[in-house]
Amino acid sequence: MCMHSISPNSPLTERYTTNPIFSALTEDDLRELISRGRNKTYQKGETIFLRGDEGAWVLLLEDGLVEISVVSLSGRKSILNLIERYDIVGEIALLDNEPRSANAIAKTDVSGIILSRATMMDFLRDNPEACFEIIHTLCKRVRNTSDLFEAQSLPNANARLARCILRLAEKWGEPTADGATRVTQHLSQTELGEISGIARENVNRYLNAWTKSAIVKFDKGIITVIDEAQLAAIAEI
């Protein structure tokens, strides 16, 4: 098996602080875990796994963005989550030993480390505090999915899109010099529709209207929230 090569001076504990499962580990423990994995890359648009696949491993994401989604029987796609670097992809099926519950697609070129179920189970037995952090992480993702379906159940499509944009601003927002909030992650109008559960044409219509009203700005895949209070009112929050 191709083992992952790590630079002796690599500050792993600094890189992985955003993931609560690894944030409490020492540098040596984290380095030991990663050394048991193997490198894996995916090209943009490539399938990492599909719903129903065996969940025998997780991907420790080192670079890129992964889309987690489900497709209904009618063919409608809903994006459940977007996972960034230094996070884990596929931990649910690995932990409950059941098939994958959603699809994982490389939204950009992706590189990471594959860790087998046996490796992760051995690691968790030796690091029981990490089990509590996994529970914490899974609960956050359940809440995220609950929030998503709550938003998609709103009768007004504009409210669904507004709530979607506020969630994205909370996750990826950074303040601008003029007091607005810029979402740093590029998202197309189609993807905004798949997250909020509305057609792309409606996304375009609402974004144009909100741009004219100085509520948001959408430019080449970048959203800027100009009037958060007004957007929250539209979102019925």
Side-chain angles (χ1 to χ4, degrees), residues 158 161-166 169 180-183 189 192 203-219 222-232 234:
N158 60 343
L161 180 60
R163 193 168 293 194
C164 163
I165 291 174
L166 288 170
T181 301
R182 179 178 181 270
V183 178
Q189 292 187 13
L192 288 173
V203 172
N204 180 265
R205 180 160 57 89
Y206 292 130
L207 288 178
N208 286 337
W210 296 344
T211 298
K212 291 177 181 178
S213 301
I215 298 172
V216 301
K217 178 182 178 183
F218 184 79
D219 183 28
I222 293 295
I223 306 166
T224 301
V225 178
I226 300 170
D227 190 336
E228 183 176 346
Q230 184 61 33
L231 191 63
I234 296 172

Side-chain angles (χ1 to χ4, degrees), residues 31-237:
R31 190 180 297 276
E32 171 62 24
L33 173 64
I34 292 177
S35 71
R36 301 180 190 179
R38 59 184 176 86
N39 293 326
K40 182 66 177 178
T41 61
Y42 299 90
Q43 294 182 346
K44 180 179 178 180
E46 188 174 354
T47 297
I48 297 173
F49 55 74
L50 293 174
R51 184 176 185 178
D53 287 351
E54 182 183 3
W57 48 268
V58 296
L59 175 69
L60 182 54
L61 188 59
E62 289 209 305
D63 198 20
L65 189 70
V66 174
E67 173 191 290
I68 306 298
S69 63
V70 293
V71 179
S72 70
L73 292 177
S74 64
R76 176 179 172 182
K77 183 171 78 170
S78 293
I79 296 177
L80 305 179
N81 200 4
L82 294 169
I83 301 179
E84 298 177 278
R85 65 194 311 191
Y86 307 140
D87 209 339
I88 291 179
V89 179
E91 75 283 358
I92 294 177
L94 177 132
L95 292 172
D96 67 11
N97 203 26
E98 295 290 334
R100 302 291 189 189
S101 59
N103 305 323
I105 308 296
K107 190 176 182 298
T108 66
D109 287 346
V110 162
S111 63
I113 303 163
I114 296 290
L115 295 167
S116 70
R117 186 174 193 277
T119 294
M120 286 297 295
M121 292 300 102
D122 287 345
F123 166 73
L124 292 174
R125 278 189 284 269
D126 293 338
N127 296 273
E129 69 281 1
C131 294
F132 293 101
E133 298 301 342
I134 285 180
I135 294 172
H136 175 71
T137 297
L138 293 179
C139 286
K140 284 181 64 178
R141 292 190 176 171
V142 168
R143 286 183 182 274
N144 177 73
T145 302
S146 297
D147 289 344
L148 172 70
F149 284 113
E150 179 186 358
Q152 291 190 353
S153 68
L154 292 171
N156 296 325
N158 60 343
R160 298 203 296 271
L161 180 60
R163 193 168 293 194
C164 163
I165 291 174
L166 288 170
R167 289 175 59 243
L168 293 171
E170 181 179 0
K171 182 172 184 177
W172 282 308
E174 62 177 22
T176 64
D178 56 0
T181 301
R182 179 178 181 270
V183 178
T184 57
Q185 179 60 51
H186 287 70
L187 291 165
S188 69
Q189 292 187 13
T190 297
E191 289 167 329
L192 288 173
E194 290 168 346
I195 296 172
S196 57
I198 64 178
R200 190 203 66 79
E201 293 77 10
N202 287 331
V203 172
N204 180 265
R205 180 160 57 89
Y206 292 130
L207 288 178
N208 286 337
W210 296 344
T211 298
K212 291 177 181 178
S213 301
I215 298 172
V216 301
K217 178 182 178 183
F218 184 79
D219 183 28
K220 298 178 180 178
I222 293 295
I223 306 166
T224 301
V225 178
I226 300 170
D227 190 336
E228 183 176 346
Q230 184 61 33
L231 191 63
I234 296 172
E236 302 178 9
I237 294 177

